[in-house]
Amino acid sequence: SYDLQVTPQSGYRHDTYHDKESGIKIPVIMAAASRETLMDLFFDLLEPLGHEVDLVLETSHDRRGGHDDLYREDIDMPVLKSMLCDFEDLLLDDGCTGLAVLNPNIPMEVQFDEHKLLILYGHELVDFEDILDDYGLECREDIKFITEAEHVHSSTEEFTRQFEQMK
């Protein structure tokens, strides 16, 4: 963030997502991890979703505010993980790329957002908490994330090209 209102740190906290249209409230875990463990943690958090998932690619490349969502359904988990490994640098370094992996049959969702936060949605979050604990992330309900401070998103032409290739 511009003035370091939020200092990056590893950890997680609980929250609730409120869908204004339906009035539904969904339990959420927001988590941050170091670059060294982020991809491995993300892959492990995908395990509770099952063997076949849907993918939403999120991009704010070439946009002034907001982002576009691109959907693909029924992806085998090993295929998805292989594809994501091919684009690890893009996922870790580009401030305009995010994704969400979900299983609408459970329903659960793991989001790897453009801020490099992990956001976990579902009514049963115990499996996610166990995985976060295995990685040594502490539950701290007062932890602050970069999304709660003024910040910028950065990208490059190369990352835009890579995103086009990934989609």
Side-chain angles (χ1 to χ4, degrees), residues 84-134:
L84 295 177
C85 283
D86 289 342
F87 293 95
E88 181 175 350
D89 290 341
L90 173 69
L91 295 171
L92 290 175
D93 296 329
D94 184 43
C96 294
T97 296
L99 57 90
V101 182
L102 59 133
N103 185 336
N105 297 321
I106 295 181
M108 294 173 90
E109 179 176 325
V110 175
Q111 187 175 8
F112 185 111
D113 81 351
E114 56 193 9
H115 305 95
K116 311 315 163 203
L117 296 175
L118 299 169
I119 306 162
L120 317 165
Y121 299 86
H123 290 285
E124 294 296 325
L125 299 174
V126 173
D127 290 342
F128 292 142
E129 291 170 324
D130 290 344
I131 294 166
L132 294 168
D133 292 341
D134 288 346

Side-chain angles (χ1 to χ4, degrees), residues 51-113:
H51 299 291
E52 192 172 280
V53 295
D54 296 352
L55 173 67
V56 180
L57 292 179
E58 301 171 350
T59 177
S60 58
H61 294 103
D62 302 323
R63 300 204 26 113
R64 301 278 184 223
H67 65 268
D68 289 328
D69 291 340
L70 307 161
Y71 297 87
R72 180 168 170 199
E73 297 178 343
D74 305 321
I75 304 172
D76 290 334
M77 187 65 76
V79 172
L80 174 64
K81 286 182 177 180
S82 176
M83 185 270 300
L84 295 177
C85 283
D86 289 342
F87 293 95
E88 181 175 350
D89 290 341
L90 173 69
L91 295 171
L92 290 175
D93 296 329
D94 184 43
C96 294
T97 296
L99 57 90
V101 182
L102 59 133
N103 185 336
N105 297 321
I106 295 181
M108 294 173 90
E109 179 176 325
V110 175
Q111 187 175 8
F112 185 111
D113 81 351

Side-chain angles (χ1 to χ4, degrees), residues 12-25:
Y12 69 95
R13 74 170 191 228
H14 297 87
D15 209 330
T16 304
Y17 170 75
H18 301 272
D19 186 315
K20 292 179 176 124
E21 278 186 27
S22 67
I24 293 174
K25 295 180 181 180

